[in-house]
Every structure is written in structure tokens, then in C-alpha cells.
Amino acid sequence: MATGAGRQNDGAAGRAFQWLDDRFQIGGLLEYFGHKVVPVHSHSMFYYLGGVSLFLFMVQVVTGILLLMYYRPGADSAYESVRFIVSEVKFGWLIRSVHAWSANLMILAVFVHMFTVFFTHAYRKPRELSWITGIVMLGLALAFGFSGYLLPWNELAFFATRVGTGMAGAIPVIGKELLVVLRGGEEVTGATIGRFFGLHVAILPGIFTVFLAGHLVAIQRQGMSEPLSWQNMPPSEKRYMKFFPHFIYRDLLLWLIVLNVLALMAVFFPDGIGAMHWPLGTKADPFAPAPPVIRPEWYFMFAFQALKFLPAHVWFVEGELFGVIVFTVGGLVWTVIPFFDRKSVHGEKPRFIVLIGALVLAFVVVMTVLGYILE
Amino acid sequence: MRIPLLFLFLVLAAGPGLLSAADDNCRTCHRDYEDEDGPSHKFVRDVHSLKGLGCVDCHGGDGSLGDMDEVRRVEGYRGVPTAGEVPRFCARCHSDPAYMHEHNPSLPTDQLAKYGTSVHGRRLLESKDTRVATCISCHTVHEIGDAKMPHSSTYPQNIPGTCGKCHADPEYMAGYDLSTAQVEDYVQSVHGMALMSMETVRGLARELDLALGDDFKLVLTGGDPASAGDSARYFEVLGYLERKELGAPACNDCHGNHGAAPPGVVSLSAVCGNCHALESEMFDRSPHKVAFDENDLPECETCHSNHLVMKPSDAMVGPTEPGLCVDCHDIDDGTRGLAVADSMLTAILNLLSVRREAQASLEDAVTRGMMTTDEELRIKDVDQALIQARTLVHSFSADEVTSRALAGVQVADTVKLNSLALVDEYYYRRYGLAVATLFITILAVGLYFRIRRLD
Amino acid sequence: MAERESSRRNFLNAILSGGTLATLGAIAYPVLRFIKPPESGEPNVNQMKLPFKRADIEAEPSRAKTFKFGRNLGLILVTEAGKLKALAATCTHLDCTVQHRPDLGIVWCSCHNGRYDLDGKNISGPPPRPLEQYVVNEVGEDIFIAREVG
């Protein structure tokens, strides 16, 4: 049985370890990890969410790379290549379906992860940068979702992208320029596919990896955040489990279950279900009339619906612009919350901040639900 | 001051006269006499007016004159022609190749000659029957329109109405040994439904008081489809009536324009064969050609009717009713007629049934969300074979129909096989998932116990 | 007791190793099959190589053959002068499949006697629009068909 430093140096694993240790002195590193502990309490279930998000991201990378072998960007080939993947390539349907499911589940996991971190105030000093890198990654994940959605170049995606990029045009001053840069022109065309493809497979992965690395290093260095109630608790009452192998094994078990869920979803619901829906459908036709219902993906629905509710003018400001401003300012405030929360640093529950968080959560949930009910 | 004013007054008074076209006086006077439907009002829409011609160019006279008596005394004054004079009146220009070459070289100049061979022309010129159609009966007078213009009386969609003005009027046609049901029949036929729009048919039905079928009327009035006596007919009519296919034949396409005559017994096939070339060609080499000609039976019309041409159905072929073959053929009439009919019908029905099976298998695959575009394309070949087999009926050769139908059956079988394979794939995926889930579960259980032991 | 313990431990290890191998296999199998390209090569979108040669076309009595191009049907024919021409094979009137009539020097639709010239232009009968023309390239023995760009 292998636990931390007490490793037996015989057997294949042992010899491999010895070989590396002779060259890189990894023994110290492994000892460090061997001492890492994870707090155990009523909410320690939430600690797994980050790992699940990471796992789903890795699934995305693998399935994405596989899809890259057959996908061809361009107005004349994108749709056909995806159709080819789903109909001709062996298990192509599976890879594409897993990629789509994993994308949606990852965003769901990341949202839940963020809210649980928020309500346990794990963002407080000294973990402000973990929070900020996390929020950045959330934004990047949404960008991944938005850019990836267009790539099959089907009717569904075409109109959703047109509406989505159209909203960018509402931003003051830079709006028009931004829209043209996003679309690669005035309209959504093959040029847009090119840009979104570059974003999706090169630019975003690169940036994401940097922030992910930062996020993981910070977490490994600082360990898991402890609940507020533990701030003023005597050390003897706090319970911990070893990161390696106890927490790791549990993490792996959960990942296994998630993998099975992905496979189940991919086989039984290859085109998604309910709000998460991505049938390949028909090829995009810029000249066809817009379908009666254009929806964004579910993770944008709350913003989409909120903007719909705004009146044409709020005071002297155009409605859509007002909405964009509010969301931007709100997003920025949310990002720098750690610096406003003084109470939790001392182990006190920050009532006001919790209220804000509850309101935000309620807003997102209600707006999302309304978006589907009111269609 | 007075002199310039006087000058101005004179200019203003005389100006119009000085600046006017030669026949302005014709219009000026006649506009006062006539109501809105009068020639001088309608003429602005006429194609001749648009080409720069005026009253004088047809009627003669002198447009600068203000007095009708003076006008009548002008040499070459033609006035209003009588019905019998109309054809030559128009032909003065329209049969003059040199003149027409100057003004509209694309128009033919043989209308009068053709008219002389037509029933209308012969009755007018020989029997002096002035009730028949002359140029202005169809083209109108003073608002003649190019046949390409939707408001023209010779625009394809308007032709049934133009001919129907006389031919669908039982009172007017009394005394001639002719039916007056042609427009009624035509409008409900596939040709009529393809050409006419709902609006045109509604107008025509009102104007000519047509007796239309119940389901047809239901579509025109926009009634509830559930109340249709024959819903297949209802939807057929609905589907056709908005096609507005200008290529579909109107009266003149089969009867001719100026040489209007009912197509002769032998020549009918040639008329239909202009568009339905393959059927005509097949018929001509079939045993029916000689048989029909010898018995004075009109070739296509005998089975398909002349005006009330309906969408043909497979039921028209067969050794027993409702097949049309028994109208002439008997079991022991000395020909292989009914045996051939039987083979042809069997081959086609067989192909239909195999196609239905293939379609059902294909739909199974489609509803399971499998990728079926290849098979959807392939099944079109089956439809193609069906069309060809049905067309081949006109050859009245059992071999030809059967072999074509067989080719279709083979393709349909392929579609069915491939669709079943797709459905199998659907189940294979679930099976694969079950296996993978089993492996993962074993590992998960193992991990779970390992965790338990660690704690 | 220790023996039971040890055999239980071995059993558990066996399950873990076996399970890991089986799971990795269940993941690797579809991935490896995925990587191997299917027989149909790439999707034939705007360009394709015909599965037959010029000689095959000339051998046909109608001096033409049909082929599947993307989701549509195409017709390739050889003119009297020996030139290869390729057109969309679906009549623009009511979607019947057209054919080459070398005796008349036209492309013909048997459904309602629609006629097109060998460049696809509708010259007689009901068809309202011309047939789409494809670009033909002969490279050695192979014939390549492509959609016209622009």
C-alpha cells in the first residue's frame, strides 16, 4: 500500500520513482504533497466541484483535439464536415456528443463552483487571486461556449451568433468597432467562422491554460479554504483527511461517475435535452428569414431575458446600453468582492455580501427560467 | 404693359394647339363625350398608344380638325369597322411585314392567314357569321395589352376568361353544336389548376357562373378542410391552385391562337405530345396507335379527357374496373389486352408497396436520430423509377413496365437494408454503452472499497 | 485472519487493476476507431473525383452518366466534339432527373419535354431556370468536378 513517504522502492512503480528521484530529486516534492490535508466538515462535498470542472475541461481538450482531425472551418465546409463526423466517422457521433455535453456540464459545474465558493467566502484573504483567476476562467469558459457554438455553421448557431454579436454593437464608443472585429466584417459570414475557430482552438486555450495554472498553483500552495466557523475553533476539534491518497481517490471516483454520466447522455440524448439542445439541423443560410424563436445558449439566457425586459429608454440612456452597462459594472464588482469583504477575514459572517450573493443567484435563476417560460 | 400681357394670353391660348400631337383634337372632343370606359380614356393603356400611335393611325381622318363632319370627309377615313371588317382592319398593319418590321420586328405577320383557316375565320368569311370571335373579341379594342402583361386579356391566366366570354355562355352559344362546359372543366383540371391563381378562378367562377365541384368550391371559399367530401381532392386542389405555373397550357396552347380549331383525331396526340413527348412517342409505337386511328378514337382524350384532364392514378390501368381498359377490352377479345393490363398494374403496385416498406424503415432510422441523408437521396431514385414505370404504361408493353418497376424495387430494397442497418447501429450504441458502464462500475466499486479500507 | 485479509487485499487490487484496464480500454477503443479515417474519405462538398473514367461515359448509349455530388445529383456528358460537360441533373421545373439526348444535341427532361442546351441554359418547355453548371477538370485518367465559385 502506498501512502506518502513510506513508499516501497521495489516493483515497477518503485523503480520508476527511483529513476526520477536520482535525477530530479522529486522526493521533496512528493513529501510536500504527502502532508497536504483537506478539511472535513459538513460542506466539504463542495470541494470536489473544482476537480469536476477540471475533469470536464480535460475531456473538452481531448474530444476537441479529436474533432480537430476532421472539422474544417469555412462557410463551404464547416457544416458538411460536422455532418461527416456525425454520420461517417466511426464513433464520431460519440465524440461530438460528449464534447457538447461536457461543455454544458462544465459551465454548469463552474457556475455552481463559483456560487459555493462565494457562499463559503473562500475568496477571502489570502485567496483573492484564486477568486479573480476563477472569474476570469468563467468568462473564458463562456467565450469558449459562444465561439464553439457557431462552428457547426447551422441555422441554430447562425442566428444565435448574429443576435449575440449584435449586442456587442450596443456598447458605447467601441461598440461598432468591436462588432466588426468579432464578426470579421459587418455580417456573420465565413470570416466569422475563421475568427471564432482561431479563438476556440488556439487563443482561448492558451489564455485559459495560463489562468488555470495560476489557479491550481495558488490552491496547491494555500490548500483548501476552511469554513468561517473554523476561524475561532480550537485546532483539536478540526478534522482533516490526507490529500493523497484519500481525497484523490474520492476525486477519481467522482470523475469516473461523471464520465459515465457523460457517456449515458451522449448515447441517450446525443442532441441534448430541454434547454441544452444542439441538433445539427440545417446548414446556415444568411438569406433565409430568421426562425420565429432565436435562443441563446442556456448560460446566456438570463442576460438575454433581462435585456428583453428593459424598456426602450432608462432615463436618457438607451435601454440595451443601460443593460450592458449594468452587467459590466455588476461583473466588475463581483470580481473584486474579496476586497470589499472585511468581515469574513475575521471569521464573521458578512451579512450584506451574502444578501447580495443571494440576490444575484436568484436573479440568474429567475431570469433563466423566465426566458424559457415566456417564449 | 398691355402688349406683353396680350402676347402672353395668346401664347397660353394657342400654345396647346401649337404643341399638341396631331390627334389631340380627337381625344379632346371624345373625352368630353365618353365616360370612363370610353376609348379615349382607355387608350392610354393600349400598347399601340405606348408605341406612339394615335386614333388617326387606325381610323384615318385628321387629328387637327375639330369638326366630325370634316373629319369624315378626309380621304382615307375608315371610321368604325363592322364585325366582319375587323380582321382586315387590323391586318392592314399587322400583316404588312415591312411596316411591322419598322415597329415591332418580333411579332409574326401571319395572323390573318391563320385566322382564315380557323373555325372563327371560316364562319366569318364564308358563312358571314358575325357572332364569332374577331381580333377585338380576344384582344379587346383600345386597351390591347402585350400578352406578357398581367392585365392583358391574352395573358395566360386570363385566356380562359377571354375564350369563356363566349364559349361558356349557353345563351350566346345556342345554335352552335358545341358544349359550353369547357371552361368549367378546364379550371378544375390539372392544367387549369396549375395555371390559374385562386383569385382568377374566383373571379371567373362569378363572371361566368361556373358549376364547380364541392371540394373545389370549398378551397375557393376558404372553408374548413374537415368538411371536405374527398379530402384527397381538397388538398390536391389546394396544392395546385397557388402554383401559378405560366408554362401550363391554356386554351391557345392546344387550340392555337389565330388558327383556332379543335385538334383533329390524329393530331391530338401531336398537340399533347408537344409537352408530354415521351408518352406520345410511346403511344405511337404501341399497338393502340393503329387501333385508335382505325376506330376514330381520339388518342389521348379517350382515357384522359380533353378539358377535364385529372391527375392520373394507377387505378386507371387494370384488367377490371375501375381500370379503363375494360371499356374496350374483353377477356376473350382476341388480344392480350387485359393480360397486359394486369401485368402492368401488378408491377406498379408491387413497386409502390416495396417503396412503402423502404419508407417505413427509413422513418424508423430518422426518428431514432440517425443520419439518413444518403438513404433519403437514394429513395428519390425509387420515385424516379415509379414515374418512369407509370409513363411506360403508354407503351402498353408488359415487359417494359415490369423491367423498369423491378429496377426500382432493387433500389428500394437497398434503402430498406441500409435503414435497418442504421437502426441496428442505434441499438449497438446502447449495447456498447452498457458494456462501458459495466467496466466503469466495476472500477468505481473497486475504488470505493479501496477508499473504505484506507479510512 | 491475516490470510483472509491478504487475499481480500489481492482481490481488491485485482478488481482495481482489471477495472482500470477495462475502463481505459472502453475509452481507447472508440478513440482509436475514430482516428482511423472512414472509407468515404472527405465529405464531397464543392469538389469531387468521379468514380468512373471518360471511357465509361463514352461507352454509355446516351454518352452521359449521373453521379452523386454532395446532396444533389449531377449529370456528366460528352459532346460530339469530345468535350466533357457537367450539370446539375435535377430539372428546374418539377425536379425530375434530366438526361442527355445526343441525337438532339440537348439535355432533355422527359417529364414535360423541357429542353436545355449543353451548357444548361433552358431553351424550351416549362423549365423556368437554367441548370447549374459544374467545372470539369481532367487530370490524366481522373475526372474532377467542382462547383463554380463566385
Side-chain angles (χ1 to χ4, degrees):
Chain A
M1 277 205 329
T3 45
R7 200 184 291 279
Q8 290 136 287
N9 284 358
D10 55 350
R15 282 203 296 277
F17 165 76
Q18 196 59 51
W19 193 90
L20 284 171
D21 191 42
D22 287 343
R23 288 153 183 74
F24 296 105
Q25 288 82 52
I26 54 174
L29 196 65
L30 286 179
E31 237 207 78
Y32 171 78
F33 275 114
H35 290 306
K36 184 162 177 287
V37 290
V38 173
V40 175
H41 51 84
S42 56
H43 296 307
S44 49
M45 273 295 138
F46 293 142
Y47 289 142
Y48 294 105
L49 279 167
V52 167
S53 308
L54 176 63
F55 172 68
L56 289 170
F57 178 70
M58 295 194 294
V59 168
Q60 284 307 87
V61 171
V62 171
T63 52
I65 290 174
L66 287 171
L67 287 172
L68 255 184
M69 296 184 74
Y70 292 102
Y71 175 76
R72 295 198 301 193
D76 285 333
S77 52
Y79 178 83
E80 288 78 3
S81 65
V82 175
R83 205 175 189 91
F84 183 70
I85 290 171
V86 178
S87 61
E88 306 268 351
V89 179
K90 292 275 180 292
F91 293 104
W93 61 274
L94 181 66
I95 305 293
R96 190 231 169 188
S97 208
V98 167
H99 194 77
W101 267 110
S102 184
N104 280 264
L105 290 180
M106 176 184 158
I107 292 183
L108 182 64
V110 163
F111 263 110
V112 178
H113 179 49
M114 177 180 77
F115 278 114
T116 55
V117 165
F118 184 90
F119 287 114
T120 54
H121 315 292
Y123 53 72
R124 65 189 186 277
K125 176 177 173 183
R127 291 179 176 80
E128 301 97 324
L129 280 182
S130 301
W131 173 260
I132 293 179
T133 50
I135 299 297
V136 170
M137 284 197 289
L138 172 63
L140 290 172
L142 293 176
F144 263 119
F146 188 67
S147 56
Y149 201 61
L150 178 69
L151 297 184
W153 194 239
N154 55 1
E155 193 182 35
L156 200 65
F158 176 79
F159 288 105
T161 305
R162 201 205 256 174
V163 170
T165 51
M167 287 184 178
I171 298 173
V173 183
I174 54 164
K176 286 284 171 295
E177 284 287 322
L178 184 61
L179 183 139
V180 170
V181 165
L182 271 175
R183 287 182 176 178
E186 297 279 344
E187 300 292 335
V188 174
T189 60
T192 320
I193 302 181
R195 296 199 162 216
F196 277 27
F197 181 68
L199 258 175
H200 193 80
V201 310
I203 301 173
L204 288 174
I207 303 177
F208 192 89
T209 307
V210 168
F211 280 91
L212 178 64
H215 194 78
L216 289 176
V217 164
I219 290 165
Q220 292 309 315
R221 196 83 180 85
Q222 297 176 318
M224 297 299 196
S225 162
E226 294 174 2
L228 272 187
S229 53
W230 280 27
Q231 195 95 358
N232 304 315
M233 206 194 264
S236 53
E237 282 183 33
K238 302 184 192 176
R239 277 178 29 248
Y240 295 91
M241 75 162 91
K242 289 176 92 81
F243 181 74
F244 188 85
H246 295 72
F247 188 78
I248 287 277
Y249 271 139
R250 284 173 168 77
D251 220 5
L252 278 174
L253 179 57
L254 185 57
W255 289 10
L256 221 49
I257 293 170
V258 170
L259 179 67
N260 212 356
V261 167
L262 273 176
L264 269 150
M265 292 293 130
V267 171
F268 287 106
F269 306 107
D271 285 335
I273 35 164
M276 304 187 190
H277 207 46
W278 49 81
L280 186 53
T282 49
K283 184 171 170 169
D285 179 2
F287 299 111
V293 180
I294 303 175
R295 296 168 168 178
E297 300 135 88
W298 63 270
Y299 38 90
F300 291 126
M301 181 56 95
F302 75 94
F304 188 66
Q305 185 58 41
L307 284 173
K308 272 204 210 167
F309 276 142
L310 286 172
H313 280 281
V314 182
W315 301 313
F316 50 86
V317 182
E318 204 201 319
E320 218 174 68
L321 175 60
F322 180 77
V324 169
I325 292 175
V326 166
F327 274 119
T328 311
V329 168
L332 282 169
V333 168
W334 188 260
T335 313
V336 297
I337 280 267
F339 303 103
F340 287 104
D341 182 355
R342 300 291 151 85
K343 287 201 175 153
S344 51
V345 182
H346 307 297
E348 265 178 71
K349 206 139 185 69
R351 291 246 149 74
F352 184 63
I353 303 241
V354 171
L355 180 66
I356 302 270
L359 285 171
V360 168
L361 179 59
F363 176 78
V364 168
V365 170
V366 169
M367 281 297 149
T368 308
V369 170
L370 281 177
Y372 288 102
I373 294 182
L374 293 179
E375 245 166 27
Chain B
M1 196 57 195
R2 294 252 174 98
I3 298 185
L5 257 173
L6 184 61
F7 185 65
L8 187 63
F9 173 76
L10 284 172
V11 165
L12 284 173
L18 291 172
L19 295 168
S20 68
D23 64 352
D24 200 57
N25 276 347
C26 307
R27 264 189 252 230
T28 326
C29 289
H30 278 266
R31 254 208 286 264
D32 289 335
Y33 285 111
E34 292 167 2
D35 62 16
E36 264 173 37
D37 281 332
S40 60
H41 293 274
K42 293 201 290 195
F43 191 62
V44 285
R45 292 196 289 275
D46 192 299
V47 65
H48 297 102
S49 165
L50 296 170
K51 290 246 169 210
L53 295 168
C55 314
V56 171
D57 294 290
C58 292
H59 293 287
D62 185 340
S64 64
L65 300 172
D67 182 67
M68 216 40 226
D69 289 324
E70 277 183 37
V71 170
R72 285 198 197 94
R73 284 198 292 271
V74 170
E75 197 192 319
Y77 173 74
R78 292 181 278 281
V80 179
T82 62
E85 289 171 348
V86 164
R88 261 183 272 269
F89 190 85
C90 302
R92 196 173 58 87
C93 297
H94 278 279
S95 291
D96 180 351
Y99 183 84
M100 288 312 293
H101 184 78
E102 266 182 58
H103 288 83
N104 191 347
S106 66
L107 285 181
T109 48
D110 60 356
Q111 296 94 333
L112 183 65
K114 280 215 173 120
Y115 181 73
T117 70
S118 74
V119 173
H120 298 138
R122 279 185 285 130
R123 288 199 74 94
L124 179 73
L125 299 171
E126 292 162 24
S127 321
K128 306 288 183 228
D129 179 354
T130 55
R131 297 174 82 225
V132 295
T134 62
C135 317
I136 61 176
S137 319
C138 299
H139 287 281
T140 76
V141 57
H142 302 122
E143 51 177 354
I144 300 176
D146 188 322
K148 295 192 204 71
M149 298 297 193
H151 64 262
S152 162
S153 59
T154 47
Y155 183 66
Q157 288 189 346
N158 297 333
I159 290 203
T162 302
C163 305
K165 248 193 346 232
C166 297
H167 281 276
D169 184 349
E171 274 175 43
Y172 193 84
M173 295 304 290
Y176 298 105
D177 185 20
L178 284 178
S179 146
T180 49
Q182 299 93 338
V183 177
E184 223 161 69
D185 284 346
Y186 171 78
V187 148
Q188 295 179 92
S189 74
V190 285
H191 296 135
M193 293 195 298
L195 174 68
M196 317 277 276
S197 68
M198 254 197 259
E199 210 186 296
T200 325
V201 176
R202 276 193 208 113
L204 212 56
R206 261 196 317 266
E207 236 177 83
L208 300 176
D209 194 25
L210 300 176
L212 300 173
D214 285 333
D215 292 317
F216 195 89
K217 275 205 292 244
L218 192 63
V219 175
L220 284 189
T221 56
D224 180 14
S227 58
D230 177 2
S231 67
R233 173 69 179 154
Y234 175 88
F235 286 109
E236 183 191 24
V237 173
L238 190 64
Y240 266 100
L241 268 183
E242 284 304 324
R243 278 205 206 164
K244 295 186 234 183
E245 233 185 280
L246 296 181
C251 319
N252 58 330
D253 293 294
C254 296
H255 291 279
N257 283 322
H258 302 106
V265 158
V266 171
S267 62
L268 180 66
S269 179
V271 166
C272 308
N274 257 330
C275 293
H276 299 277
L278 214 51
E279 286 84 346
S280 171
E281 189 198 342
M282 288 176 191
F283 182 88
D284 283 347
R285 60 179 165 83
S286 79
H288 276 179
K289 167 105 180 128
V290 172
F292 275 46
D293 289 352
E294 276 178 3
N295 286 291
D296 259 347
L297 289 169
E299 293 173 355
C300 313
E301 184 190 336
T302 309
C303 297
H304 290 284
S305 159
N306 48 4
H307 300 112
L308 188 53
V309 180
M310 303 294 262
K311 199 159 158 59
S313 77
D314 297 321
M316 288 166 75
V317 176
T320 56
E321 293 228 334
L324 299 173
C325 314
V326 292
D327 286 352
C328 298
H329 283 280
D330 258 326
I331 275 277
D332 41 11
D333 60 3
T335 70
R336 293 180 49 249
L338 291 186
V340 169
D342 192 21
S343 305
M344 295 198 296
L345 182 63
T346 310
I348 292 177
L349 290 181
N350 183 39
L351 176 56
L352 265 173
S353 114
V354 177
R355 191 207 179 280
R356 240 174 271 131
E357 281 173 30
Q359 179 74 26
S361 299
L362 184 54
E363 267 163 24
D364 269 347
V366 169
T367 49
R368 285 181 170 78
M370 305 305 286
M371 273 283 155
T372 45
T373 31
D374 274 353
E375 300 316 310
E376 285 171 33
L377 197 67
R378 191 167 288 128
I379 209 170
K380 291 199 178 140
D381 281 344
V382 181
D383 293 329
Q384 185 78 354
L386 195 54
I387 294 176
Q388 289 170 335
R390 285 170 167 155
T391 308
L392 276 165
V393 164
H394 296 92
S395 69
F396 299 100
S397 152
D399 287 336
E400 289 193 53
V401 173
T402 316
S403 72
R404 174 60 39 184
L406 227 60
V409 165
Q410 279 170 347
V411 177
D413 280 338
T414 309
V415 170
K416 188 165 149 197
L417 238 64
N418 291 347
S419 301
L420 290 174
L422 282 173
V423 172
D424 283 342
E425 162 76 13
Y426 172 86
Y427 287 108
Y428 167 74
R429 293 182 187 182
R430 275 140 183 79
Y431 172 71
L433 174 70
V435 170
T437 305
L438 180 67
F439 293 160
I440 292 178
T441 309
I442 290 175
L443 180 57
V445 166
L447 254 181
Y448 176 72
F449 280 111
R450 171 56 71 92
I451 292 170
R452 279 256 309 255
R453 289 177 72 91
L454 279 178
D455 290 345
Chain C
M1 208 37 186
E3 268 188 30
R4 280 253 308 269
E5 183 57 40
S6 146
S7 72
R8 224 185 282 160
R9 195 197 314 153
N10 287 342
F11 178 66
L12 194 57
N13 278 345
I15 295 260
L16 275 176
S17 322
T20 307
L21 237 61
T23 302
L24 286 175
I27 296 174
Y29 175 70
V31 170
L32 289 172
R33 294 289 311 264
F34 178 89
I35 293 178
K36 194 159 133 15
E39 296 85 49
S40 28
E42 2 166 8
N44 299 329
V45 176
N46 286 333
Q47 222 205 23
M48 68 174 289
K49 185 172 96 159
L50 290 179
F52 45 78
K53 313 208 184 314
R54 171 186 270 269
D56 299 319
I57 307 176
E58 285 167 351
E60 291 281 331
S62 64
R63 312 239 321 149
K65 280 178 94 70
T66 53
F67 56 94
K68 193 173 108 164
F69 191 25
R71 310 179 69 173
N72 310 105
L73 214 58
L75 178 79
I76 182 160
L77 56 96
V78 57
T79 67
E80 260 190 60
K83 197 156 174 307
L84 281 177
K85 287 188 189 275
L87 304 164
T90 311
C91 185
T92 56
H93 178 224
L94 292 176
D95 289 347
C96 292
T97 304
V98 300
Q99 53 191 265
H100 179 217
R101 288 288 295 267
D103 53 324
L104 300 171
I106 56 161
V107 168
W108 187 56
C109 181
S110 62
C111 286
H112 301 99
N113 202 15
R115 292 167 186 230
Y116 304 83
D117 65 15
L118 297 183
D119 291 317
K121 180 94 176 54
N122 45 329
I123 49 179
S124 158
R129 286 180 310 280
L131 296 170
E132 189 187 346
Q133 263 184 307
Y134 300 140
V135 176
V136 180
N137 279 315
E138 283 185 87
V139 179
E141 289 229 308
D142 298 325
I143 309 175
F144 291 90
I145 307 287
R147 287 221 151 82
E148 283 193 342
V149 183

